[in-house]
Amino acid sequence: MKYNKKDHYHQKAKDEGYRARSAYKLKEILKRYKQIWKKDAAMVLDLGCAPGAWTQVILEELSENVSVIGLDIVEMDGFQDNRFKFFQEDVYEWKPREGLKFDLILSDMAPKTSGIKMMDHLRSVALCERTIEIADSCLKRDGSLVFKIFEGSDLQGLVNSLRKKYSEVDRYRPNSTRQASKEIYVIGIKKHC
């Protein structure tokens, strides 16, 4: 399947004022898994937040009382909303402030791809393991986790490990994902430990 950067969702995002087509992936996830968020959710962590499409959706879809902390190694310019605080930092080095807890942790992070399927999968797994580590330390009880991973041999192991920590764990591929893409989203609902 030929890669088309400027497909239907790219144009739709541009027309509707979203920073990236990935906004529609999160919209689909929130619509399908309504139980991962509450209208009054207070704190959301958006890992790998640049260019800001998921942050836009969070601030639209959740209540006016939501606060979002975004983290990325890439600068995120021009995002003006007093409910959002951005940190330009490497996810591997970031340490949450003592006592800081989140209702929802999201990660649309992806590694720089090499074109070597197994290598890209393992790099993606490493990012997901770091996301899970962050969720283990600062996701509230009954909070939820959503992260992107490239499909491969280690996916099932990650899902199995999450089943020990969350009431429900699912894998989901949004319709807005490009057909040729190997990405899938893992959703952990209601952390219980």
Side-chain angles (χ1 to χ4, degrees):
M1 172 89 34
K2 187 180 173 191
Y3 176 76
N4 178 13
K5 184 178 178 183
K6 296 186 177 180
D7 66 1
H8 163 73
Y9 284 103
H10 170 86
Q11 190 57 51
K12 185 175 180 179
K14 192 173 176 184
D15 293 345
E16 295 183 0
Y18 290 112
R19 291 178 167 226
R21 68 191 308 285
S22 60
Y24 301 103
K25 297 174 192 175
L26 183 57
K27 282 177 169 281
E28 284 184 61
I29 291 166
L30 292 175
K31 185 175 180 181
R32 182 177 175 108
Y33 299 96
K34 292 187 169 99
Q35 67 271 44
I36 70 170
W37 61 290
K38 301 173 237 155
K39 287 285 184 184
D40 61 347
M43 290 292 294
V44 178
L45 177 61
D46 185 6
L47 297 170
C49 63
W54 276 32
T55 300
Q56 285 178 291
V57 171
I58 295 162
L59 293 172
E60 283 177 8
E61 300 277 336
L62 275 67
S63 79
E64 292 178 10
N65 299 322
V66 71
S67 295
V68 181
I69 291 178
L71 185 71
D72 207 306
I73 57 172
V74 177
E75 178 70 40
M76 195 162 109
D77 295 323
F79 203 100
Q80 300 298 320
D81 193 303
N82 59 9
R83 297 172 293 167
F84 175 68
K85 185 163 179 75
F86 174 73
F87 294 93
Q88 186 174 2
E89 205 167 330
D90 189 314
V91 70
Y92 291 108
E93 295 171 13
W94 184 71
K95 290 184 176 45
R97 191 180 73 234
E98 181 88 26
L100 184 62
K101 295 288 185 182
F102 296 94
D103 299 284
L104 178 59
I105 295 179
L106 303 170
S107 171
D108 197 34
M109 291 188 293
K112 289 191 177 182
T113 54
S114 65
I116 302 168
K117 185 179 173 183
M118 188 60 178
M119 183 183 294
D120 292 341
H121 168 66
L122 292 175
R123 287 176 178 171
S124 174
V125 167
L127 284 172
C128 294
E129 287 173 340
R130 178 59 181 143
T131 299
I132 293 166
E133 187 178 275
I134 289 170
D136 286 349
S137 70
C138 61
L139 181 64
K140 290 179 186 175
R141 185 179 180 88
D142 288 333
S144 294
L145 170 66
V146 176
F147 62 85
K148 175 168 68 182
I149 187 169
F150 294 162
E151 291 181 280
S153 58
D154 290 6
L155 173 58
Q156 190 59 50
L158 273 181
V159 169
N160 290 343
S161 71
L162 287 176
R163 288 199 168 119
K164 298 172 186 169
K165 303 173 187 178
Y166 294 82
S167 297
E168 184 182 339
V169 178
D170 202 5
R171 290 180 279 195
Y172 181 62
R173 184 179 165 88
N175 293 326
S176 49
T177 303
R178 289 186 175 94
Q179 262 190 311
S181 176
K182 295 294 180 197
E183 69 185 32
I184 192 165
Y185 290 85
V186 176
I187 295 100
I189 300 166
K190 291 193 174 179
K191 180 184 174 200
H192 52 70
C193 62

